[in-house]
Amino acid sequence: MRKVTKKIIVIFTVFCMMFSALPLPVQAAAPTISKKSITLTVGKSTTLKVKNTSKKVKWKSSNSKIASVNSAGKVTGRKAGRAKITATVNKKKYTCTVTVKAAKKAVKVSKIKLNKNSIRLNTGKSYTLKAAVSPSKSSNKKLSWKSSNTAVVTVNSKGVVTAKKAGSAVITATAKDGSRKKASCKVTVKGTIKKDTRVSKLIVSSKKSVNVNGTLQLSVSVHPSGLSKTFTWKSDNTKIATVSSSGLVTGISAGTVKISVTTNDKWKDSVSVYINVNKPQSTPAPEKKVTGIEASCRLSEITSVNDVNSSNLTVYEKYSDGTKAELKNFLVKGEYDSATGYYRYTITKTGTAFSTVVTVKKQVTEKVLVGISAKCTLSEVASIDELEKHLVVTGHYSDGSTEELKSYKITGATGGDPGAVVEISTVDDKFTTTASAKWKDEITLKGIEASCKLSEVENGYNFKTSDFDVKGVYSDGTKKEIGFKVAIEYSNGAYRATITAQGFTKALSIPVKKSSAPEVTSLTYTLSPSYVYVGENLASGQLKVTAKYSDGSQKEVTDYTCDFKPQSAAGICSFNVSCGTFKKSISITVKEKATPIPTLAGLDAQYTRSYVYADEPFDTSCIVLTGTYSDGSTKQITDYTYDFTPASDHLGKAILVIHYAGKDMTIRITSIVKTEPKSVEFKFMNVPISVGENIDKNNITVTATDYAGNVTNPTDFTIDFTPKSEPGTYPFTVTYKGFTESFDIVVR
């Protein structure tokens, strides 16, 4: 029985699998336009598409002056306003509302400030300059970096300065947005510092005595310590005592002798030695010698390197017999070791090489700003901006340290005789100081100097600004490169260049290289008629070209070349005509061929908005007047006149009367307070639903921005969707106060 049951189950399972594998009928989705509304900036484009169709789509704009559309559905914003784009498939129309906004004006750089106006580096060292660009909302904040002498200093695109060799150079940061704003930093490079090997001080061991036939070893110390030197020893009376090359004195007879020592670089010192008559005595005690020093500090923690001095140090001198005595005459040199967190002090016995080291832990205390100071690195300035550019603001802290402040604000500024003053404060206005500089006479442009880098040119040469050297001559006697414009004219075998810069003009003459045959120097033309039709080429004889030659002659030519091509749309077309080496650009009007003018058969007047704003000028961009003509075509009419009567209150009806071709069309429009949305953004969390279910509004977010800039998330939007009986992907639309967007949802 169990075997029979298992067979039945297996057969039933196979039957179900076969049935489930059969194809099910799928309902084709209806065509939809990809977007119901879009917003563009003037000059920007986007492409619309009609989904779920393979048939040809015909595109049309209600106002091509505001938004145009080509045969592929590419929509381009032309000027600010609103237009409708219509896609026609099998006589069925699908529309998208296009809002075109004016392009934002580019904000140029007005000022560049570097964190350093001057720096000093050793050869091989690097430093990163930082630049602050004003205003902060500048459209293009990119900078180019340049060194005035790359053999001395180089700089990369990130402002990293590297010292190459001794000398000086200027690093300049220039704005890339065309504003020509600059900031500079002077870099001074020092060469590698050689270790000083010269003796600065020479000391011989103190006054000594020795018995006749006895010996005394003299020692010598040099400063700086550690120098390896050759010494020459000498006795001024060898009958009393002699001295060896190592400084060993031997007593010869009773008396006093002067022993001197000299280094190889001519440093000299001496000592007097007494030679005594031998006296019988007991075995002498061994000589007591200084073997070193030891030190300790009575402070366990300190906050500054200056906290330790002779008053809180205990120093002992150690001797060869094991004894020690407190030392009062010593030197202290301290430094902080950031790696260990300890201050390190080197204690040295004065006049000797004996030294020891004491370490004291740094007390961790909060570093608090207690004041600020400021100064201008220039003694004279020509403007408040120049004073601010060369400001160095220093913060003073509770631990006695100082740091240059990068963040501060200038709260007030005055300028003029006897000086220029700025007031600086911290960001929180807690500390304030001032900085000043002498006010110098304004440096003004007195004229320009100009020259051409080319002694002569070929006929037809295309001049560039880089072909000229132009400098401004200033009231202080300085000269520097200046921006300029150049205009080129040809006359009598030479080019005349007129240089213009800040109201000053300079004329230059550049000869043309002589040639055996005259060359074309200019072209003139006539077009008759002055237009062509769409899709047609220039007619024979329509373009006549006259050439002027380098020898002064001119004639009509036919051996010219022309790159004009038939155009696919009406407008202005530019093309080139060339003769010899000379090329000229020509413009021609392209027209649509004239067709019989259809007569007006009917009018349709609409105000695309269902409201007007109370107490504001009437918006004519929302008037859409469409004419229907005898040939069945339609056209938007713009040369109408109108009368507009505002509502008596904010809740009444405004009256719009449109006049055209002897007809009057009246539209009543609701007058409202300006709280309607200026823009609406729709977002859909694409969560699939089941057959028979509706779309959950919680999966849709609507963000509305009104004309006052207020942003809300309304929930009173509508969804155009009907629950489906079959699985598939279906379109739906979301609408809020005239704004609509389409989405697709998966039904399982």
Side-chain angles (χ1 to χ4, degrees):
M1 184 63 183
R2 289 183 178 177
K3 291 183 179 180
V4 174
T5 303
K6 287 183 178 179
K7 288 182 179 180
I8 294 172
I9 293 172
V10 170
I11 294 170
F12 181 76
T13 303
V14 172
F15 177 78
C16 291
M17 291 175 64
M18 293 175 62
F19 183 79
S20 64
L22 295 176
L24 298 175
V26 179
Q27 185 178 354
T32 60
I33 197 167
S34 58
K35 296 279 187 179
K36 290 295 184 71
S37 64
I38 56 175
T39 301
L40 294 175
T41 305
V42 174
K44 299 297 183 181
S45 302
T46 189
T47 300
L48 296 174
K49 294 182 180 180
V50 177
K51 301 177 181 179
N52 304 323
T53 184
S54 59
K55 297 184 178 180
K56 186 177 180 180
V57 181
K58 185 178 180 181
W59 299 91
K60 186 178 180 181
S61 171
S62 65
N63 192 338
S64 58
K65 293 181 179 180
I66 294 175
S68 63
V69 61
N70 64 10
S71 59
K74 183 179 180 179
V75 182
T76 303
R78 300 297 181 187
K79 72 174 185 178
R82 185 173 288 184
K84 284 190 176 181
I85 304 299
T86 302
T88 304
V89 183
N90 280 349
K91 297 183 180 181
K92 192 169 182 179
K93 296 182 178 181
Y94 307 88
T95 62
C96 173
T97 301
V98 182
T99 302
V100 181
K101 297 181 179 180
K104 292 183 179 179
K105 188 178 180 180
V107 179
K108 289 198 172 184
V109 174
S110 63
K111 184 179 179 182
I112 301 171
K113 185 175 183 180
L114 299 180
N115 63 321
K116 294 285 187 182
N117 298 318
S118 63
I119 56 175
R120 293 179 177 270
L121 296 174
N122 290 328
T123 304
K125 299 297 183 181
S126 298
Y127 181 83
T128 302
L129 288 172
K130 296 181 180 180
V133 176
S134 300
S136 58
K137 60 181 179 180
S138 299
S139 302
N140 184 1
K141 296 183 179 180
K142 293 182 178 180
L143 304 174
S144 63
W145 296 85
K146 185 179 179 181
S147 170
S148 65
N149 191 342
T150 55
V152 175
V153 176
T154 61
V155 61
N156 66 11
S157 60
K158 296 182 179 180
V160 179
V161 179
T162 303
K164 296 297 185 182
K165 70 175 185 178
S168 64
V170 176
I171 304 299
T172 304
T174 306
K176 287 187 174 184
D177 65 347
S179 64
R180 297 185 178 181
K181 297 298 180 180
K182 299 180 179 179
S184 59
C185 173
K186 184 179 180 181
V187 183
T188 304
V189 180
K190 298 180 178 180
T192 304
I193 301 175
K194 295 182 179 180
K195 186 177 180 180
D196 193 356
T197 58
R198 298 172 300 172
V199 174
S200 62
K201 193 174 183 181
L202 183 68
I203 301 173
V204 183
S205 54
S206 60
K207 184 177 179 181
K208 298 287 185 178
S209 64
V210 65
N211 293 329
V212 174
N213 297 322
T215 59
L216 173 65
Q217 180 64 58
L218 296 178
S219 62
V220 65
S221 60
V222 297
H223 295 266
S225 61
L227 294 181
S228 179
K229 289 292 178 180
T230 302
F231 304 105
T232 302
W233 296 87
K234 185 179 180 181
S235 170
D236 70 344
N237 192 338
T238 56
K239 293 181 179 181
I240 295 176
T242 60
V243 62
S244 70
S245 59
S246 62
L248 182 66
V249 179
T250 302
I252 304 298
S253 63
T256 303
V257 66
K258 186 176 182 180
I259 305 297
S260 62
V261 61
T262 308
T263 68
N264 57 341
D265 54 357
K266 307 305 180 183
W267 279 86
K268 188 176 183 179
D269 195 19
S270 62
V271 65
S272 296
V273 179
Y274 296 93
I275 310 301
N276 304 317
V277 178
N278 293 329
K279 294 180 181 181
Q281 59 181 15
S282 59
T283 305
E287 186 180 4
K288 187 177 179 180
K289 297 182 179 180
V290 179
T291 60
I293 63 173
E294 64 179 33
S296 62
C297 182
R298 290 186 288 276
L299 303 175
S300 60
E301 291 185 352
I302 58 175
T303 59
S304 168
V305 71
N306 298 321
D307 290 349
V308 173
N309 50 50
S310 58
S311 64
N312 44 43
L313 285 171
T314 302
V315 183
Y316 291 96
E317 191 174 41
K318 298 188 294 183
Y319 302 100
S320 56
D321 61 356
T323 62
K324 61 182 181 179
E326 189 172 354
L327 182 65
K328 299 294 184 182
N329 192 10
F330 57 86
L331 302 175
V332 182
K333 183 180 180 181
E335 61 182 0
Y336 179 67
D337 186 356
S338 59
T340 62
Y342 281 80
Y343 289 95
R344 178 184 174 92
Y345 296 88
T346 301
I347 295 92
T348 306
K349 181 182 177 182
T350 305
T352 72
F354 294 109
S355 66
T356 188
V357 174
V358 173
T359 59
V360 185
K361 187 178 180 182
K362 181 180 180 180
Q363 184 178 355
V364 181
T365 58
E366 185 180 4
K367 185 178 178 181
V368 181
L369 183 68
V370 295
I372 62 172
S373 61
K375 66 177 182 179
C376 179
T377 59
L378 299 180
S379 59
E380 293 185 352
V381 296
S383 65
I384 292 296
D385 285 343
E386 187 177 16
L387 172 58
E388 294 176 3
K389 180 180 177 180
H390 293 85
L391 274 179
V392 177
V393 182
T394 303
H396 300 267
Y397 294 88
S398 55
D399 62 353
S401 64
T402 61
E403 292 180 7
E404 184 178 347
L405 296 183
K406 306 301 181 185
S407 298
Y408 56 87
K409 60 184 181 179
I410 300 172
T411 58
T414 61
D417 194 21
V421 180
V422 293
E423 187 175 282
I424 304 103
S425 62
T426 53
V427 177
D428 58 3
D429 294 321
K430 189 174 180 180
F431 302 100
T432 302
T433 189
T434 60
S436 63
K438 185 179 178 182
W439 196 264
K440 64 182 178 182
D441 295 334
E442 184 180 2
I443 300 174
T444 58
L445 182 66
K446 296 296 184 181
I448 61 173
E449 294 181 353
S451 62
C452 184
K453 300 176 183 178
L454 307 173
S455 59
E456 61 178 5
V457 296
E458 299 283 350
N459 189 29
Y461 179 76
N462 185 21
F463 284 93
K464 305 176 291 295
T465 56
S466 58
D467 294 333
F468 301 90
D469 284 324
V470 182
K471 293 182 179 179
V473 182
Y474 294 87
S475 57
D476 63 349
T478 60
K479 300 178 182 179
K480 64 179 180 180
E481 293 183 356
I482 192 173
F484 64 94
K485 293 182 179 180
V486 59
I488 305 294
E489 294 180 346
Y490 180 84
S491 178
N492 298 324
Y495 284 102
R496 177 182 174 87
T498 302
I499 310 294
T500 304
Q502 298 187 23
F504 294 92
T505 303
K506 200 79 170 180
L508 303 174
S509 180
I510 303 97
V512 174
K513 293 181 181 179
K514 295 183 178 180
S515 58
S516 57
E519 297 185 0
V520 178
T521 58
S522 66
L523 295 174
T524 59
Y525 71 95
T526 58
L527 281 167
S528 182
S530 60
Y531 61 87
V532 295
Y533 292 114
V534 173
E536 293 185 356
N537 214 330
L538 295 173
S540 177
Q542 183 177 0
L543 174 63
K544 294 183 178 180
V545 180
T546 299
K548 187 175 182 179
Y549 295 87
S550 56
D551 60 358
S553 64
Q554 65 179 37
K555 68 175 182 179
E556 185 178 333
V557 294
T558 58
D559 58 339
Y560 62 83
T561 59
C562 172
D563 60 2
F564 176 82
K565 295 180 180 179
Q567 302 297 299
S568 59
I572 303 297
C573 173
S574 296
F575 62 96
N576 295 313
V577 174
S578 301
C579 184
T581 60
F582 200 91
K583 182 186 289 185
K584 188 175 184 66
S585 178
I586 298 176
S587 296
I588 191 172
T589 302
V590 182
K591 296 182 177 181
E592 297 279 0
K593 279 192 175 181
T595 56
I597 301 174
T599 58
L600 183 66
L603 290 171
D604 177 50
Q606 293 182 354
Y607 191 75
T608 58
R609 226 191 261 146
S610 60
Y611 57 89
V612 294
Y613 293 120
D615 304 324
E616 287 196 4
F618 179 66
D619 185 6
T620 59
S621 65
C622 294
I623 298 177
V624 179
L625 182 62
T626 305
T628 304
Y629 294 86
S630 55
D631 61 353
S633 65
T634 60
K635 184 179 76 172
Q636 187 171 339
I637 298 169
T638 58
D639 57 340
Y640 56 83
T641 61
Y642 72 93
D643 294 318
F644 178 75
T645 305
S648 57
D649 57 58
H650 288 178
L651 300 177
K653 294 286 187 179
I655 299 175
L656 172 66
V657 181
I658 302 173
H659 313 286
Y660 184 77
K663 296 184 178 181
D664 297 335
M665 287 147 284
T666 302
I667 301 175
R668 297 182 180 274
I669 312 168
T670 302
S671 178
I672 63 172
V673 181
K674 198 172 185 177
T675 57
E676 293 296 304
K678 181 180 181 181
S679 64
V680 177
E681 182 183 4
F682 302 91
K683 292 184 180 180
F684 171 56
M685 187 185 298
N686 197 349
V687 179
I689 60 175
S690 300
V691 171
E693 288 184 350
N694 213 331
I695 296 172
D696 188 353
K697 290 187 71 173
N698 293 326
N699 292 331
I700 298 173
T701 303
V702 179
T703 304
T705 306
D706 64 18
Y707 286 82
N710 301 312
V711 179
T712 59
N713 295 111
T715 57
D716 55 337
F717 54 86
T718 60
I719 303 174
D720 184 12
F721 180 79
T722 304
K724 307 300 178 183
S725 60
E726 298 288 340
T729 301
Y730 296 92
F732 71 94
T733 58
V734 183
T735 303
Y736 179 74
K737 293 194 176 182
F739 293 86
T740 302
E741 188 158 350
S742 299
F743 300 95
D744 290 331
I745 189 168
V746 176
V747 180
R748 295 176 178 175

